[in-house]
Amino acid sequence: MPTPTPTPTPTPTPNPPAPGPEILAAFEAAKGFMPVGEGLALYAAAAEAGRLGLPLLEVGTYCGRSTILLAGAAREAGVTALTVDHHRGSEEQQPGWEYHDPETVDPELGVMDTLPTFRRTLHRAGLEDHVVALVGRSPKAAALWNSPLALVFIDGGHTDEHATADYEGWAPHVAEGGLLVIHDVFPDPVDEFTGQAPYRVYLRALASGAFKELSATDSLRVLRRTGDGI
């Protein structure tokens, strides 16, 4: 199969939905890696998807930085945000790697545990009532899921094994007209570890015929589900 060519990025919608100042401040204060520009694009996608009246789901919670945006949009739409993570850290967050944060290590067990930080993040933002945290491996949670979602945000592990499992487990649950959002999409092979697996998942989604690209903001891609074939 030939490599699909990403569709041209459409002209951005004027005045896309934006988080309120308290949500944006909580996002900026939270531990995490997503830049503000990508965060605003994620919020706009979540606010649009929320109009379907279905839950919003992210894969890859870490400490809750992006969860704040999904929860804020979910609160406005009257739906629930779900977030899936085992909270032991992805590959690049382990000791010795660039994105490791010693503050996330459980001092008793000596392994990463981002769940306490995540819970503090939500509490400080006043968003606990709008989020359901699914603590465990993404493929196991996806295997138990059987209802449509307005949005799936893939931001978990960056190996082909994990990114592919996240896509195969959750993309089929995106409702018709719903959104698939993929983070850390880097087409340049120099970014093999951090962004090539998400890039390959992004290309696969386009090649499936089930998704059409709506926007690209730095490494964040937003696609709408328009058909079957995942």
Side-chain angles (χ1 to χ4, degrees):
M1 178 185 297
T3 301
T5 302
T7 54
T9 303
T11 302
T13 303
N15 303 316
E22 76 288 352
I23 294 294
L24 185 58
F27 166 77
E28 292 184 300
K31 188 187 294 290
F33 310 104
M34 177 173 279
V36 172
E38 293 179 346
L40 293 176
L42 174 62
Y43 181 89
E48 177 186 338
R51 296 169 188 161
L52 294 178
L54 298 169
L56 316 173
L57 180 140
E58 80 172 336
V59 181
T61 312
Y62 190 52
C63 296
R65 184 174 171 92
S66 56
T67 315
I68 288 172
L69 300 175
L70 295 186
R75 181 176 64 183
E76 291 298 313
V79 299
T80 299
L82 303 110
T83 184
V84 184
D85 202 311
H86 48 69
H87 289 281
R88 296 303 188 197
S90 57
E91 300 79 14
E92 70 275 13
Q93 294 162 2
Q94 300 305 316
W97 289 89
E98 178 181 359
Y99 294 101
H100 178 64
D101 184 344
E103 292 182 358
T104 64
V105 175
D106 183 314
E108 181 177 346
L109 299 179
V111 297
M112 286 186 63
D113 185 1
T114 56
L115 183 58
T117 304
F118 162 68
R119 297 203 66 184
R120 287 192 293 269
T121 296
L122 280 191
H123 180 77
R124 289 167 179 160
L127 293 169
E128 287 181 299
D129 290 344
H130 304 280
V131 177
V132 172
L134 305 177
V135 181
R137 299 282 172 177
S138 169
K140 291 186 178 293
L144 298 173
W145 194 263
N146 60 6
S147 58
L149 298 162
L151 176 142
V152 167
F153 174 42
I154 296 178
D155 192 24
H158 285 54
T159 65
D160 279 300
E161 176 189 1
H162 292 134
T164 298
D166 292 339
Y167 174 76
E168 292 179 348
W170 294 106
H173 296 296
V174 177
E176 180 77 19
L179 301 181
L180 174 67
V181 184
I182 306 172
H183 193 217
D184 292 328
V185 173
F186 294 107
D188 193 331
V190 74
D191 297 306
E192 172 63 34
F193 186 78
T194 56
Q196 284 285 283
Y199 177 61
R200 285 187 280 270
V201 164
Y202 155 75
L203 292 180
R204 178 176 172 181
L206 291 178
S208 73
F211 294 98
K212 177 181 178 182
E213 183 171 2
L214 293 183
S215 68
T217 303
D218 297 326
S219 76
L220 191 83
R221 301 292 185 273
V222 179
L223 296 81
R224 186 184 306 282
R225 182 157 191 185
T226 56
D228 297 325
I230 298 175

